[in-house]
Amino acid sequence: MMLGIKDVKVENEQKNDIASLKKNAKEVLEGKKEIVPVDALIDLDPWLTPYREPLQKRYDLFKQWYDKLISSEGSLDHFSKSYLEYGINVTDKGIHYREWAPNAKEAHFIGDFNNWDITSHKMNRDEYGTFDIFLPRNADGSLPIKHNTKVKIALTLEDGTILYRIPAWIRRVTQDLSVSPTYDAIFWYPKEKYHFKNQKPPKPESVRIYEAHVGISSWEGKVNTYKNFTRDVLPRIKDLGYNVIQLMAIMEHPYYASFGYQVTSFFCASSRYGPPEDLMELIDTAHGMGITVLLDVVHSHACNNVEDGINNFDGTDHQYFHAGGRGHHDLWNSRLFNYGNYETLRFLLSNLRFWLDEYQFDGFRFDGVTSMMYYHHGMGYGFSGNYDEYFGGNTDLEAVVYLMLANKMIHDLYPDAITIAEDVSGMPTLCRPVDEGGVGFDYRLAMAIPDMWIKILKEQKDDDWNIGDICWTLTNRRYKEKTIAYAESHDQALVGDKTLAFWLMDKEMYGFMSELTPRTPIIDRGLALHKMIRLLTHALGGEGYLNFIGNEFGHPEWLDFPREGNGNSFHYARRQFNLVDDDLLRYKFLNNFDRAMQNLESKYGWLHSPQAYISLKHEGDKVIVFERGDLLFIFNFHPTKSFTDYRVGTSWNTPHHIVLNSDRVEYGGHDCIDESVTHYPTDFPWNNRANFLQVYIPCRTCIVLSHDKLYNLEIRGKCHLFLFCPCCKSNKQWKSHWLIDCPQLNELLFKGSSESPVPKIVGLAEFLTSAIPIISSSFELLFDRYCKIPNLSKSVDVVLIRHNDNTGSSSIATKDESLPSSSINDESGESLVDTTLSILKMLLLVNDKILFLYNAFNRGNLTNDIVNSNNDNSNSNNSHSNNNYSNISNSIFSNVSNSVLITALCDSDDNRWLSFIKWLLVRREKTGILEDCKK
């Protein structure tokens, strides 16, 4: 072959192969293709093809464990409820205590209840080393162990050594630092149990996470309580617009400064913040506010403590952990679990189930997932993205399989639960379902994003910011694996580092954050960039967003817990909400902007919209422009240049209005932008967008624009009707044939001859309200530009849709400005629905009016109101039989009265429908539109 000349045959084969892969991916995502583990992963990511064997090996190991647990335990449900059998449990007849300690010869249950007599309550041992004992109730019905008293287990080894241990499954431990830092096990069984009052909120489409630590949540120098958090902090979170709370440092940990990541008692809520019932009340109250609550769970390692932990519990180093060096984390000085051990799986899976059931948590953020999945634990290892790094000899399959089992259990038993992986490696398939062969997480943390921002602020001048690199880092995520973006978390605030606000403004925050003082250039820059960095990260960085407590208002300084090195000071172990509550301080501006940002996302839903299209990354101007969630985002990061009449591309040719502007006075801006101005697009391609706008964008400012969607329609081309047939349903499966060909419906709708039909009036509205519309991706809604309808229900009777054979694109008109939209074309110009189809709610008009509203494909997740339809083409005679359809559930129309729903599609030449339209229009004395339709 000559150099530089392509082999056409090879190229065509490659194109065909790519087209085949696209088709397979599309079918999997639309639920049309049967999911085959591993094959489904490769269909989505063909780069996994060379790694089929390790992926299959991983899935086979998962299946072996899964089948083994089902065989021996009956179900994963039963196995994960082992916390009801192990540990100390109260029954109607008394108290039962069970513990697994295979290295022990004997075991005795001791405590205040028997004056710590090591001989009085000997436990029974089975062949597997599991000990148990039953203590019957007293004659008066009271329990033999009093509430809130101390207990322990004494294990006798073969050599006669006696080990005193806190029960591994204990649910309450307390610490009295005036006596000893070692925890005491407590039998906790109060007379009044906490009863949850509120239902769990539904799983949010957009995840806006408020990461919180109860202990530091007060402005005072103390360890705050669950009660105070419920009273003081929850209302703040609700007011800001966050819909998820991620609680840190809940699992009991002896060292406060460990931030909760050195766990000793896995089934205990930390007692330093209050009793368990107060945590239950916190979660219940959050649920009542519509807020989902996640637990920061630590299953990547365990505290090295012996007396009050599970390390060396039965005298060996390998009971729950790996023996020798593999069982120790050198950097964290902690123990590493043996995920291939049956009882370790029982302990960990039951631990997850315990928090979900007993405390009503809604899911987990799994800490240290990178450390779990690799033998090197990520220590001193730089991941380049080469797939060999993920599927070679460095991967700990037992740990990955445990995560698969955990996600399988959680999502099967709790479909609305959320799981998030803290992984820095970029492991492919981490956030794909287990049934596909993936690891099963819902989200992963975008850990490169905060590192990028800190590096930029530390090392670069504003003029040197590389706009392309910033956009690359924010959008560099795996296809169809959702990501939580954040500009900073607790990691960036820990001692040795600083919050973003402190990196931006540093010592000037001490003297110039008051409105009574001059606004220095450093403060002005800091306020502006703090807002821009967070909005850019929010809108461009992922499918979820996270903020660490206090950083929403630009918390100064850093985090440092009381320890010997700082004189046990609480000065840096608090969140100074008093700063944002002081109306004379400028912290309120950042807090106001954060609230506006969350509320705007709640309205437009960009987080659960497709990844943004960046139309402009201008290095010289420092300008970024992109579209997402039906919004146009414009950022000017230039430190000195403002731009008038700056031309930006937009997909929408309807009037645009500013809905968020960082330069507003209430956000600490200079009020340089006139938001009353309506921006009218010009029908001329710009930056690969169909239209352009001209805007004023001051330096260090960002604006967000929405666009109008309802206009009088200009009907062009051939427009006819196609209805999904509602009277030919069988076993709840809808048939997709021409409604024109349905004799039952024709009999219902028409009387007279086929040439001169007379529509029947009686029962028409009631009948069609139940019809399910079909959506096709190749229709375009046409409208007169710039002619907004002030009151749609009074000025429109019929809206028609025509087929666009040339572009294959889909335009949208809808009254609900919060609904996202998008269309994607592949190389052939055909509409490529590369994610789940979504039909948005339709507006139905009343009072004898019929509105044909069309909403095109949106590459996002299905809402709870939408269900997949059965695309049965067996009886289809139309040319669109291969199109992809979705149903709208009847619940959408439950509140609609006297409405008529008809979906207008294309390509039927039957004159009866033109007569039908004419009849409708004549009733409203609007027949002019019909002539255009006939043309």
Side-chain angles (χ1 to χ4, degrees):
M1 182 187 299
M2 295 179 61
L3 185 63
I5 298 179
K6 295 182 179 179
D7 187 324
V8 177
K9 181 178 180 181
V10 172
E11 184 179 6
N12 289 336
E13 289 177 353
Q14 290 175 343
K15 285 185 176 180
N16 290 335
D17 188 51
I18 292 173
S20 176
L21 289 169
K22 282 184 177 181
K23 180 180 178 182
N24 289 337
K26 182 178 176 181
E27 289 177 347
V28 169
L29 290 167
E30 293 167 2
K32 290 185 176 182
K33 186 174 181 179
E34 181 183 357
I35 295 176
V36 178
V38 180
D39 285 356
L41 300 177
I42 295 173
D43 285 342
L44 287 179
D45 183 1
W47 290 98
L48 290 172
T49 303
Y51 304 93
R52 176 185 293 275
E53 184 177 346
L55 284 169
Q56 191 65 55
K57 180 180 179 182
R58 185 179 78 181
Y59 184 77
D60 290 344
L61 183 59
F62 158 77
K63 277 293 292 178
Q64 289 173 19
W65 268 111
Y66 182 78
D67 293 342
K68 181 178 181 180
L69 295 176
I70 299 300
S71 175
S72 58
E73 302 287 340
S75 67
L76 202 55
D77 178 16
H78 179 264
F79 184 65
S80 63
K81 289 195 292 187
S82 292
Y83 70 89
L84 298 174
E85 301 173 7
Y86 284 74
I88 302 172
N89 286 284
V90 177
T91 69
D92 293 339
K93 297 181 179 180
I95 297 173
H96 182 256
Y97 173 40
R98 175 177 291 176
E99 195 76 67
W100 177 63
N103 191 53
K105 179 182 177 181
E106 293 181 355
H108 292 81
F109 192 23
I110 59 176
D112 291 336
F113 70 95
N114 65 358
N115 295 318
W116 302 95
D117 186 346
I118 200 172
T119 62
S120 63
H121 289 75
K122 184 178 180 180
M123 303 176 70
N124 301 313
R125 188 186 194 278
D126 67 13
E127 57 183 313
Y128 302 106
T130 301
F131 295 87
D132 73 291
I133 188 173
F134 178 75
L135 283 65
R137 288 182 179 268
N138 298 322
D140 60 359
S142 62
L143 293 173
I145 305 177
K146 292 183 179 180
H147 166 66
N148 202 21
T149 58
K150 298 177 182 179
V151 294
K152 270 191 178 181
I153 184 173
L155 300 174
T156 304
L157 308 185
E158 286 288 348
D159 62 2
T161 302
I162 299 178
L163 307 175
Y164 295 93
R165 297 287 188 259
I166 286 180
W169 300 67
I170 195 71
R171 302 187 190 182
R172 174 75 169 166
V173 293
T174 58
Q175 183 187 49
D176 186 352
L177 290 174
S178 64
V179 178
S180 169
T182 304
Y183 274 92
D184 293 311
I186 303 297
F187 173 73
W188 190 260
Y189 196 78
K191 290 183 178 179
E192 293 187 8
K193 292 279 188 178
Y194 184 83
H195 298 286
F196 288 87
K197 306 173 184 64
N198 299 301
Q199 288 187 343
K200 290 186 174 186
K203 187 174 184 177
E205 286 186 298
S206 292
V207 175
R208 303 183 298 276
I209 303 174
Y210 195 87
E211 184 184 36
H213 186 294
V214 172
I216 67 170
S217 62
S218 170
W219 64 269
E220 302 175 83
K222 65 178 184 179
V223 178
N224 207 15
T225 65
Y226 298 123
K227 281 281 189 183
N228 290 347
F229 188 95
T230 303
R231 181 193 66 204
D232 301 331
V233 183
L234 280 184
R236 294 180 184 272
I237 298 172
K238 174 66 175 177
D239 173 66
L240 286 169
Y242 290 90
N243 59 0
V244 179
I245 299 174
Q246 180 180 298
L247 287 179
M248 307 174 59
I250 295 298
M251 301 168 74
E252 192 59 272
H253 51 288
Y255 187 38
Y256 188 43
S258 73
F259 228 129
Y261 293 120
Q262 292 281 343
V263 176
T264 48
S265 297
F266 285 75
F267 292 84
C268 294
S270 183
S271 59
R272 56 172 57 87
Y273 316 131
E277 290 73 23
D278 289 357
L279 175 58
M280 295 176 185
E281 181 187 29
L282 186 162
I283 297 170
D284 192 21
T285 305
H287 286 166
M289 295 178 173
I291 299 174
T292 296
V293 186
L294 307 181
L295 173 67
D296 194 351
V297 70
V298 185
H299 281 186
S300 51
H301 65 132
C303 181
N304 217 17
N305 286 16
V306 173
E307 288 191 33
D308 55 1
I310 59 174
N311 181 28
N312 288 3
F313 185 84
D314 68 348
T316 66
D317 69 342
H318 56 270
Q319 182 183 358
Y320 290 105
F321 311 103
H322 288 292
R326 189 181 173 189
H328 292 267
H329 197 293
D330 297 332
L331 187 62
W332 296 341
N333 189 29
S334 56
R335 298 305 315 277
L336 299 174
F337 287 104
N338 179 2
Y339 302 104
N341 181 292
Y342 193 96
E343 292 301 326
T344 300
L345 291 180
R346 182 195 301 277
F347 184 83
L348 295 176
L349 291 175
S350 297
N351 186 237
L352 297 173
R353 186 71 182 274
F354 169 80
W355 292 109
L356 292 169
D357 286 353
E358 297 297 309
Y359 285 88
Q360 296 291 295
F361 277 101
D362 302 296
F364 304 97
R365 178 259 197 192
F366 281 74
D367 178 68
V369 169
T370 304
S371 175
M372 296 173 68
M373 294 193 299
Y374 305 98
Y375 293 121
H376 52 65
H377 309 299
M379 294 187 294
Y381 194 93
F383 290 92
S384 67
N386 188 308
Y387 279 27
D388 289 339
E389 298 168 344
Y390 309 118
F391 304 111
N394 285 326
T395 303
D396 187 342
L397 285 184
E398 290 178 341
V400 175
V401 166
Y402 161 67
L403 294 172
M404 294 172 72
L405 287 168
N407 278 301
K408 176 70 172 174
M409 182 271 291
I410 293 169
H411 290 115
D412 279 2
L413 299 178
Y414 304 90
D416 283 347
I418 297 172
T419 59
I420 302 171
E422 188 213 24
D423 170 46
V424 72
S425 73
M427 164 71 80
T429 76
L430 185 68
C431 298
R432 293 305 304 168
V434 174
D435 291 343
E436 292 181 4
V439 184
F441 285 99
D442 294 300
Y443 300 88
R444 61 168 15 113
L445 293 178
M447 302 182 71
I449 294 176
D451 292 343
M452 174 196 69
W453 288 123
I454 294 296
K455 182 178 176 64
I456 288 175
L457 296 179
K458 279 183 180 180
E459 302 176 1
Q460 297 181 13
K461 295 185 297 184
D462 293 2
D463 290 311
D464 297 333
W465 285 23
N466 189 304
I467 297 300
D469 286 351
I470 291 172
C471 292
W472 165 256
T473 301
L474 288 169
T475 57
N476 181 25
R477 51 189 185 269
R478 298 194 58 79
Y479 176 63
K480 281 299 171 184
E481 296 194 43
K482 293 187 288 187
T483 298
I484 303 293
Y486 56 107
E488 55 182 333
S489 70
H490 66 273
D491 289 328
Q492 285 68 44
L494 289 172
V495 64
D497 213 328
K498 297 183 288 190
T499 63
L500 275 183
F502 214 58
W503 274 114
L504 288 164
M505 295 174 277
D506 207 73
K507 63 187 178 191
E508 295 217 5
M509 296 187 77
Y510 295 122
F512 297 97
M513 284 299 281
S514 170
E515 290 201 85
L516 302 178
T517 61
R519 182 196 289 244
T520 67
I522 290 178
I523 293 296
D524 192 59
R525 169 185 179 267
L527 293 176
L529 289 181
H530 192 274
K531 292 176 288 185
M532 296 181 71
I533 286 171
R534 294 169 74 81
L535 178 59
L536 184 63
T537 301
H538 201 312
L540 200 57
E543 289 71 38
Y545 178 77
L546 179 143
N547 165 71
F548 179 65
I549 180 172
N551 289 347
E552 67 275 7
F553 62 83
H555 202 285
E557 302 174 325
W558 53 86
L559 273 172
D560 190 12
F561 286 83
R563 54 188 174 85
E564 188 175 343
N566 64 11
N568 291 313
S569 170
F570 281 89
H571 180 74
Y572 298 106
R574 59 190 179 127
R575 297 283 90 179
Q576 300 180 57
F577 288 110
N578 55 304
L579 298 176
V580 73
D581 291 340
D582 191 332
D583 200 49
L584 290 177
L585 299 182
R586 294 185 169 112
Y587 295 97
K588 64 182 179 183
F589 298 139
L590 301 180
N591 196 71
N592 291 341
F593 184 78
D594 195 84
R595 182 191 300 109
M597 182 170 63
Q598 308 308 329
N599 289 334
L600 191 68
E601 197 291 324
S602 177
K603 179 179 180 181
Y604 288 94
W606 64 69
L607 287 175
H608 63 272
S609 298
Q611 184 163 316
Y613 177 83
I614 305 176
S615 59
L616 181 63
K617 297 173 283 188
H618 200 293
E619 296 295 346
D621 294 345
K622 304 299 179 190
V623 172
I624 302 172
V625 181
F626 61 89
E627 299 167 356
R628 194 178 184 193
D630 234 19
L631 296 172
L632 178 64
F633 294 82
I634 306 172
F635 292 79
N636 178 10
F637 279 98
H638 203 286
T640 58
K641 288 185 179 179
S642 299
F643 303 102
T644 57
D645 294 330
Y646 197 87
R647 186 173 291 190
V648 299
T650 176
S651 294
W652 306 293
N653 58 356
T654 58
H656 288 54
H657 308 275
I658 293 176
V659 292
L660 184 62
N661 163 25
S662 67
D663 198 48
R664 287 183 187 175
V665 171
E666 59 264 38
Y667 306 147
H670 299 280
D671 202 22
C672 295
I673 298 176
D674 184 357
E675 294 187 28
S676 67
V677 173
T678 298
H679 297 273
Y680 296 97
T682 298
D683 186 7
F684 186 84
W686 192 258
N687 289 336
N688 204 30
R689 301 286 87 185
N691 315 278
F692 72 80
L693 295 173
Q694 290 179 268
V695 298
Y696 172 54
I697 180 72
C699 63
R700 290 183 180 142
T701 299
C702 53
I703 59 175
V704 185
L705 297 96
S706 69
H707 60 94
D708 296 331
K709 305 190 189 76
L710 288 177
Y711 298 87
N712 286 324
L713 299 190
E714 174 188 354
I715 304 302
R716 299 194 296 265
K718 186 175 66 173
C719 300
H720 300 292
L721 294 178
F722 171 59
L723 291 182
F724 201 53
C725 183
C727 58
C728 296
K729 60 182 180 178
S730 174
N731 298 323
K732 299 183 179 180
Q733 300 298 317
W734 297 85
K735 304 294 183 182
S736 58
H737 64 73
W738 291 104
L739 183 139
I740 280 291
D741 299 325
C742 174
Q744 298 180 53
L745 194 59
N746 273 277
E747 173 63 25
L748 177 71
L749 294 178
F750 303 107
K751 58 184 177 181
S753 68
S754 61
E755 296 296 328
S756 303
V758 181
K760 293 181 180 180
I761 300 176
V762 179
L764 176 62
E766 291 77 11
F767 183 83
L768 290 180
T769 298
S770 64
I772 303 296
I774 310 176
I775 301 301
S776 170
S777 65
S778 56
F779 292 92
E780 184 179 24
L781 194 62
L782 304 175
F783 44 79
D784 285 332
R785 192 175 296 123
Y786 316 142
C787 188
K788 185 176 181 181
I789 299 174
N791 190 330
L792 179 66
S793 63
K794 292 183 179 179
S795 56
V796 171
D797 288 287
V798 179
V799 176
L800 292 174
I801 300 164
R802 81 176 177 94
H803 183 234
N804 188 329
D805 292 307
N806 298 321
T807 65
S809 63
S810 301
S811 298
I812 295 172
T814 173
K815 194 172 184 179
D816 186 351
E817 292 190 354
S818 69
L819 300 179
S821 65
S822 67
S823 62
I824 285 193
N825 299 327
D826 63 12
E827 295 84 350
S828 66
E830 295 179 354
S831 179
L832 174 62
V833 186
D834 55 359
T835 63
T836 312
L837 303 181
S838 176
I839 304 175
L840 306 179
K841 295 184 180 180
M842 294 185 177
L843 174 65
L844 306 181
L845 300 183
V846 296
N847 299 327
D848 298 325
K849 297 182 182 181
I850 295 183
L851 172 69
F852 296 94
L853 264 185
Y854 171 63
N855 223 321
F857 291 114
N858 168 52
R859 289 186 305 153
N861 292 329
L862 294 176
T863 66
N864 290 331
D865 291 331
I866 301 167
V867 293
N868 291 327
S869 67
N870 177 39
N871 186 17
D872 184 354
N873 298 317
S874 59
N875 296 322
S876 177
N877 297 319
N878 65 78
S879 61
H880 297 288
S881 61
N882 293 324
N883 286 336
N884 302 290
Y885 306 128
S886 294
N887 286 343
I888 298 181
S889 82
N890 291 330
S891 64
I892 294 179
F893 310 114
S894 60
N895 296 322
V896 179
S897 60
N898 301 321
S899 300
V900 177
L901 170 65
I902 296 181
T903 300
L905 295 186
C906 178
D907 290 344
S908 173
D909 292 318
D910 198 307
N911 289 328
R912 288 178 298 171
W913 292 109
L914 289 178
S915 300
F916 184 41
I917 296 172
K918 183 176 181 180
W919 170 77
L920 293 170
L921 294 174
V922 167
R923 294 190 64 195
R924 301 299 302 168
E925 299 179 347
K926 299 203 175 180
T927 59
I929 194 173
L930 182 62
E931 298 306 316
D932 291 331
C933 180
K934 286 183 177 180
K935 293 178 184 178

